[in-house]
Amino acid sequence: MKTVIEQSIKTTNFETYLNRAGEENSEVILFLHGSGPGVTAFANWRYALAACSETYECLAPDLLGFGKSGHPETLPKNRQGWMDLWVNQLIELLDELDIQKAHLVGNSLGCSIALELLLEHPERFDKVVLMGPGGTPNTKLSPELARAKGFYDNPSPKKLRQIMSWFVYDAEAMAPIIDSITDYRYETAMRPEVQLSNDSIFATAAVPVPVTALRRIEHPILLVHGRDDMVCSVDSSYYLLSHLPNAQLHVYGKCGHWTQIEKQESFNHLIQNYFANKI
């Protein structure tokens, strides 16, 4: 297992907190985390970093407004404003690390950012995995996600643990992992700058990528979704499958929103085989 190096990287406009492993490997995977109270790249991707860094250089940055990365002094007024900042942050990061091309893995919000990157900077990315995407015209605001948005109305570890339990299919079986994630995320969530950014992001509505733009994305894309995802329904992946020209879909039964955690061994084999042209 490779050691995960944590470092803060200053670029022209951003301060990015980065988890990095497998630096000696030639091909690069850029992992983009999702949203929610106290989320960080390490909380989202620690198992994938351990598995994939044997073969790939793995980069898992905290997005602007999350975790230990910088937080904008002037908060964007809409989701596209946030999207533009995230795209610029990630391109500046790749430039600073002198990485010209990378594979992409996005989770939830990270999928929407991945699509924006493919539209704005197609030449910088190779193969793409979109896991549990939302942000499509047929993505409904589930009761679980609506309750997660209200976390800061009366925050507590108990409330955060309840929210985390909705992200998995079998909360009882996943209890030890949910407990460890809750402890880690609650401490991060209660930082004032994290709450301020979270409130701003959740106050904005997703801006779906137009069908005309989706049809012009030529990258090979693997969609991965839990059949029992109660946060972002699998319908979102079926929508993208119908419009992305070079997409395929893998659906896990008895799995919720956290495929990378609930089905971690299978998921890590799946994405590495996909990047290695074995699927």
Side-chain angles (χ1 to χ4, degrees):
M1 183 182 298
K2 304 292 185 181
T3 300
V4 177
I5 298 170
E6 302 173 50
Q7 55 190 151
S8 188
I9 296 182
K10 182 73 173 70
T11 60
T12 303
N13 297 296
F14 305 99
E15 186 85 24
T16 298
Y17 188 78
L18 177 67
N19 302 275
R20 188 177 192 181
E23 191 173 346
E24 70 280 4
N25 295 316
S26 59
E27 291 188 59
V28 179
I29 303 174
L30 177 61
F31 291 90
L32 306 179
H33 64 76
S35 61
V39 69
T40 67
F42 187 73
N44 224 165
W45 298 118
R46 55 181 164 177
Y47 301 116
L49 290 174
C52 298
S53 59
E54 294 294 332
T55 308
Y56 297 90
E57 178 176 4
C58 297
L59 308 175
D62 285 352
L63 295 167
L64 185 75
F66 292 93
K68 296 180 182 178
S69 281
H71 294 259
E73 294 182 8
T74 302
L75 295 169
K77 296 180 180 179
N78 52 49
R79 183 63 62 87
Q80 194 59 50
W82 277 105
M83 280 290 177
D84 293 343
L85 287 174
W86 290 323
V87 167
N88 292 336
Q89 174 200 12
L90 294 166
I91 293 300
E92 283 192 15
L93 176 65
L94 293 178
D95 287 346
E96 181 67 24
L97 300 176
D98 196 26
I99 294 170
Q100 298 307 309
K101 201 159 195 172
H103 300 300
L104 267 176
V105 179
N107 168 220
S108 200
L109 171 67
C111 297
S112 297
I113 299 170
L115 290 173
E116 292 286 335
L117 285 166
L118 298 181
L119 291 172
E120 297 295 330
H121 302 275
E123 74 286 353
R124 302 298 295 270
F125 302 100
D126 194 355
K127 289 193 166 189
V128 182
V129 174
L130 303 180
M131 188 198 79
T136 63
N138 66 337
T139 302
K140 299 178 179 65
L141 178 61
S142 67
E144 289 79 5
L145 187 55
R147 289 288 291 271
K149 287 186 174 185
F151 167 74
Y152 285 108
D153 294 342
N154 185 25
S156 70
K158 180 180 179 180
K159 187 173 183 179
L160 184 58
R161 191 195 185 286
Q162 184 184 55
I163 291 169
M164 297 297 96
S165 73
W166 297 333
F167 279 59
V168 300
Y169 174 76
D170 189 339
E172 184 176 348
M174 297 291 294
I177 290 178
I178 292 172
D179 288 342
S180 67
I181 291 174
T182 299
D183 293 341
Y184 183 83
R185 286 182 59 159
Y186 186 76
E187 182 179 354
T188 302
M190 297 315 293
R191 290 169 45 201
E193 69 275 20
V194 171
Q195 178 177 348
L196 194 64
S197 293
N198 181 92
D199 288 347
S200 172
I201 294 165
F202 271 109
T204 64
V207 183
V209 176
V211 169
T212 50
L214 290 175
R215 289 175 177 167
R216 293 171 186 164
I217 294 175
E218 295 294 335
H219 299 73
I221 294 177
L222 174 64
L223 298 155
V224 181
H225 221 118
R227 181 196 63 198
D228 310 288
D229 189 340
M230 301 302 291
V231 177
C232 293
S233 168
V234 69
D235 292 341
S236 298
S237 278
Y238 281 113
Y239 174 87
L240 292 174
L241 180 67
S242 69
H243 297 300
L244 291 165
N246 293 309
Q248 56 181 297
L249 171 61
H250 188 101
V251 178
Y252 284 97
K254 295 184 178 180
C255 184
H257 194 54
W258 282 345
T259 307
Q260 84 281 26
I261 295 174
E262 288 188 89
K263 304 291 184 181
Q264 58 180 272
E265 186 174 343
S266 176
F267 174 79
N268 291 328
H269 281 303
L270 178 68
I271 66 172
Q272 291 183 87
N273 284 333
Y274 183 67
F275 292 144
N277 297 314
K278 296 178 181 178
I279 296 178

